[in-house]
Amino acid sequence: MIPISYIIRNIKKHKITSILTILGVTLVVFVFAGVLMLSNGLRATLVATGYDDNAVIIRKASQTEVQSIIPYDQAQLIVASPEIAPAKDNRPLYTNEIYVLINLPSRTDSTEANLVVRGITPKSFELRPNVKLIAGRLPQEAGSEIITGESASERFVGCGLGERVRFGAREWTVVGIFDAAGTGFDSEIWGDITQMSDAFRRPVYSSITFRMADTSQFTGMKDRLENDRRLTIEVFREKEYYANQSRTITTFINITGTVISIVFSLGAIVGAMITMYSAVANRTKEIGILRALGFKRLSILLVFFLESIFISLTGGMLGVLIAYFLRFIRISTTNWDTFSEIAFNFEISSQIAILAILFAVIMGIAGGFLPAVRASRLKIVDSLRSA
Amino acid sequence: MSDSMVNIFGLYKSYYRDSLEIPVLRNISLKIPEGEFLALMGPSGSGKTTLLNLLAGIDQPTSGTLSVAGEEISQLNENELAKWRSRHIGFIFQFYNLMPVLTAFENVELPLLLTKLTKKERKEHVETALSIVGLAERMKHYPRQLSGGQEQRVAIARAIVTDPSLILADEPTGDLDKHSAEEIMILLTRLNQEFKKTIVMVTHDPRAAEKAKIVRHLDKGELD
Ligand SMILES: Nc1ncnc2c1ncn2[C@@H]1O[C@H](COP(=O)(O)OP(=O)(O)O)[C@@H](O)[C@H]1O
Ligand SMILES: [Mg+2]
């Protein structure tokens, strides 16, 4: 075998070309990894919004709380379910909530964006231990008071502590800020359910969330409730419910991102190919010498193939490394499944890192293949005669 | 027959350019006994390099038989030839042709990478070869850190490190000053006399040819 140091030193020798080729691959892998981290972060945020032993009930086929309506009589039947765990006060641990989308101007450019207003009950906090009041107090049952998620309070005009905001034909005072640990709730406004159903004239619930006493009973309970003729509802595990909400947008991001990455990668492949063709041209004589010494065509093929893969691997690792720092960027977007604003971070995973580096290696293989074949096909006498 | 290192009979070699035949070697017959030091002279374009390439098995004759180091090499396929070459042939070129990115040691080690020798054995062989050419102290130098004469001596070490039966040298002093050329010739003579290597050397330099035991002339593809 021709030694690896021969390959690496040749890469180092042609610094400028090698660095440019590496940077091309770096850019593509950065974009590719970034896209995957984006959808992964979004998914992780939404999945984290749900709890393992919580169940969510919405109207059948409504998919999200936006379109969901649960009449009071159906709600009464549901909350009588024996599978519901007891709360601290020994009453069943459930909350029925309403969920309304409103428009508010953003603080930065005053364009309007959607956000969620959730009418909550006192048990809403007990069901979601990650959600904590970090400033001010809880809203009173009477009066136009709200609390806002940290992200919503920062992003929307009038949503900061002590500020006032108009929606639902009323003016509301922000009396508290809650932190939802980076979950989807962070981008919501919460107020008392009776106030909200008054303001929005909604004498129904959007969803019911409850704690299961025993999660292994989930399937049985789901069957029972969904087959109950008096009910037109669907039952989800809360985690699964929120994961489903990220599906449309993460699929969109993944597909667009992959298409963009592939288009970009064509550029990087052509770059690698040009680099490798010139490496073959520059070293035609060396190839002849190696063959004259007794190295086979396959060894020559491998040298140039490995050289290309090594270049792209370096670019790939660099791309992943740079993409890693995207973790510190927080972005927000509209979740198309719920039409609401959601804030989240890019999130890396070992799977994404491996996939991105694999992508780089594929670029190296694609770019190095033809030049390596050319190198291995040269006739010894011709390459020895070349200058 | 068996004590001939090279046995060529009725050898023809033509190149074809756009279906135009360019005869390069015509009806060459040549026996070179083991231990010979043959200098091949002749004008530029007379086919000297082509003949060496045929002896090294890196080019194929158009017709005729060609037995080198006991093997009828025109019968071997490409991979067999590569293996045969790494075992039997040491090649020395006019422009040294060392790998610029490898040190003197690594350049000399290259042909040994095709053998089954261990790393330690390879090291011993390389050190021996480099000390024969008087460059044991320059092992870690890269070609660009060496003079032309030193580069050629490294190339000779590379050619002899596998202990080949036949050394083929194509104008080995052609690019060197008088003094370096002399050193190289002394070295080749030593390889022939002390190490009993059979050498075929192409040269334009009458002083170099003088050192050989026998001189043959090639003109317009025909041997005198
Ligand atoms: N690959 C080739 N294709 C066509 N003609 C060639 C090729 N190689 C060598 N020749 C021709 O063969 C002749 C002999 O070349 P060569 O053996 O290099 O001569 P020398 O080494 O004696 O100078 C030259 O006329 C050269 O142009
Ligand atoms: Mg020549």
Side-chain angles (χ1 to χ4, degrees):
Chain A
M1 247 333 287
I2 293 167
I4 298 292
S5 54
Y6 173 78
I7 292 165
I8 292 169
R9 285 182 211 160
N10 269 309
I11 294 173
K12 282 190 189 158
K13 190 177 163 201
H14 301 278
K15 275 200 186 65
I16 307 282
T17 0
S18 299
I19 287 174
L20 288 178
T21 319
I22 287 171
L23 288 183
V25 176
T26 302
L27 180 72
V28 176
V29 170
F30 171 77
V31 170
F32 184 65
V35 165
L36 295 182
M37 284 169 70
L38 189 70
S39 60
N40 188 40
L42 186 56
R43 218 187 97 80
T45 299
L46 283 169
V47 169
T49 307
Y51 292 90
D52 274 328
D53 42 9
N54 285 357
V56 176
I57 291 179
I58 54 174
R59 191 183 64 178
K60 188 174 236 136
S62 60
Q63 281 168 27
T64 67
E65 289 165 277
V66 195
Q67 291 95 350
S68 170
I69 287 171
I70 301 175
Y72 292 152
D73 56 338
Q74 291 195 23
Q76 267 178 344
L77 289 169
I78 293 165
V79 302
S81 297
E83 292 89 350
I84 301 180
K88 285 180 195 135
D89 60 7
N90 271 324
R91 315 253 305 267
L93 181 48
Y94 70 87
T95 178
N96 30 30
E97 297 178 342
I98 64 172
Y99 182 101
V100 185
L101 279 179
I102 60 162
N103 264 310
L104 285 182
S106 125
R107 282 192 201 273
T108 46
D109 52 8
S110 58
T111 54
E112 301 222 322
N114 280 328
L115 80 164
V116 170
V117 175
R118 189 181 289 274
I120 58 159
T121 70
K123 297 233 165 41
S124 292
F125 278 92
E126 196 179 336
L127 274 158
R128 297 163 183 131
N130 272 355
V131 182
K132 291 191 178 78
L133 198 69
I134 52 165
R137 56 172 175 82
L138 291 177
Q140 285 169 351
E141 275 176 41
S144 299
E145 296 183 344
I146 51 168
I147 54 176
T148 55
E150 215 181 358
S151 180
S153 75
E154 283 160 13
R155 284 181 38 76
F156 291 97
V157 174
C159 289
L161 185 60
E163 291 183 311
R164 287 160 180 277
V165 60
R166 252 197 105 70
F167 60 80
R170 278 202 215 174
E171 185 158 88
W172 307 78
T173 308
V174 180
V175 298
I177 307 285
F178 61 90
D179 170 19
T183 63
F185 298 123
D186 258 331
S187 311
E188 295 185 357
I189 292 176
W190 286 9
D192 183 75
I193 181 140
T194 31
Q195 297 302 324
M196 290 302 165
S197 67
D198 265 10
F200 290 106
R201 300 178 199 294
R202 281 227 188 171
V204 288
Y205 299 128
S206 302
S207 67
I208 297 173
T209 304
F210 61 82
R211 174 80 39 84
M212 290 177 278
D214 176 359
T215 53
S216 68
Q217 292 176 347
F218 176 80
T219 322
M221 174 190 71
K222 180 179 166 75
D223 283 349
R224 180 174 63 73
L225 290 174
E226 288 181 356
N227 293 327
D228 189 326
R229 291 207 165 170
R230 296 165 294 176
L231 303 174
T232 45
I233 51 130
E234 242 175 304
V235 187
F236 298 94
R237 289 181 192 274
E238 199 181 25
K239 256 212 155 78
E240 171 198 8
Y241 171 74
Y242 284 108
N244 286 344
Q245 290 191 357
S246 67
R247 203 151 283 164
T248 310
I249 189 154
T250 53
T251 307
F252 173 79
I253 293 171
N254 282 341
I255 291 174
T256 357
T258 309
V259 169
I260 291 171
S261 300
I262 287 172
V263 171
F264 271 35
S265 77
L266 295 181
I269 290 170
V270 169
M273 212 182 273
I274 292 170
T275 301
M276 292 317 297
Y277 268 130
S278 78
V280 173
N282 284 333
R283 303 216 297 273
T284 301
K285 189 140 192 185
E286 285 182 39
I287 294 166
I289 305 297
L290 288 168
R291 295 281 311 279
L293 291 176
F295 286 96
K296 295 183 181 158
R297 288 182 193 274
L298 192 65
S299 301
I300 305 296
L301 185 92
L302 223 54
V303 162
F304 287 93
F305 217 41
L306 287 178
E307 198 163 311
S308 177
I309 290 173
F310 198 87
I311 285 175
S312 62
L313 196 63
T314 310
M317 294 196 290
L318 209 61
V320 171
L321 187 75
I322 298 173
Y324 175 85
F325 290 99
L326 287 174
R327 289 179 39 159
F328 304 109
I329 298 175
R330 190 165 175 81
I331 46 172
S332 55
T333 183
T334 301
N335 182 357
W336 298 340
D337 286 295
T338 58
F339 305 104
S340 60
E341 195 75 2
I342 178 161
F344 58 98
N345 285 57
F346 287 86
E347 187 143 316
I348 192 133
S349 69
S350 54
Q351 212 181 351
I352 290 175
I354 291 168
L355 213 62
I357 287 173
L358 208 67
F359 187 49
V361 169
I362 289 170
M363 282 187 266
I365 291 172
F369 181 73
L370 290 178
V373 167
R374 171 186 284 187
S376 73
R377 284 192 148 177
L378 289 169
K379 285 177 71 180
I380 307 179
V381 274
D382 292 340
S383 25
L384 282 177
R385 275 180 203 274
S386 77
Chain B
M1 187 90 159
S2 62
D3 58 355
S4 289
M5 178 56 66
V6 173
N7 199 344
I8 299 174
F9 186 75
L11 181 81
Y12 285 81
K13 174 68 186 176
S14 295
Y15 287 109
Y16 294 87
R17 210 172 275 159
D18 308 327
S19 76
L20 184 74
E21 184 180 357
I22 308 165
V24 178
L25 295 174
R26 276 178 260 219
N27 196 19
I28 306 273
S29 293
L30 176 65
K31 266 191 188 157
I32 305 174
E34 233 170 81
E36 182 64 285
F37 186 172
L38 183 146
L40 192 59
M41 298 188 77
S44 184
S46 57
K48 306 180 297 292
T49 298
T50 303
L51 183 56
L52 278 198
N53 287 345
L54 288 167
L55 289 174
I58 58 179
D59 206 351
Q60 285 75 46
T62 308
S63 67
T65 59
L66 179 62
S67 145
V68 183
E71 192 86 47
E72 185 58 48
I73 57 171
S74 48
Q75 305 294 322
L76 299 181
N77 70 27
E78 201 176 76
N79 282 342
E80 289 167 341
L81 269 176
K83 196 170 177 188
W84 169 86
R85 198 157 52 236
S86 69
R87 213 175 276 168
H88 295 288
I89 302 294
F91 223 123
I92 302 165
F93 306 88
Q94 178 179 357
F95 299 106
Y96 339 125
N97 288 333
L98 300 174
M99 303 293 140
V101 298
L102 300 182
T103 62
F105 181 96
E106 290 163 337
N107 265 289
V108 177
E109 192 187 20
L110 264 183
L112 294 180
L113 298 174
L114 293 161
T115 66
K116 290 201 171 75
L117 296 180
T118 64
K119 192 173 172 156
K120 187 163 162 279
E121 289 167 331
R122 289 203 302 267
K123 187 163 181 278
E124 285 164 11
H125 282 66
V126 172
E127 283 168 356
T128 309
L130 278 170
S131 58
I132 289 172
V133 301
L135 284 177
E137 265 74 70
R138 301 291 176 125
M139 282 196 308
K140 296 208 169 86
H141 287 56
Y142 285 91
R144 68 185 134 76
Q145 300 169 312
L146 301 170
S147 72
Q150 288 170 332
E151 277 195 73
Q152 192 61 299
R153 276 146 66 194
V154 173
I156 291 175
R158 178 178 68 186
I160 62 174
V161 74
T162 53
D163 196 24
S165 356
L166 179 61
I167 292 175
L168 301 171
D170 196 351
E171 303 189 40
T173 61
D175 198 49
L176 295 176
D177 61 76
K178 206 173 132 211
H179 176 71
S180 306
E182 256 165 40
E183 280 182 351
I184 295 300
M185 286 319 300
I186 291 169
L187 196 50
L188 287 177
T189 312
R190 216 182 124 211
L191 289 178
N192 176 244
Q193 289 175 355
E194 197 176 317
F195 297 93
K196 309 293 175 212
K197 298 289 167 207
T198 311
I199 301 177
V200 178
M201 173 182 72
V202 167
T203 185
H204 281 301
D205 179 1
R207 268 194 309 264
E210 237 169 52
K211 299 281 195 293
K213 288 180 186 162
I214 181 171
V215 181
R216 299 293 299 267
H217 292 268
L218 197 60
D219 197 0
K220 298 204 185 81
E222 288 178 73
L223 212 51
D224 59 6

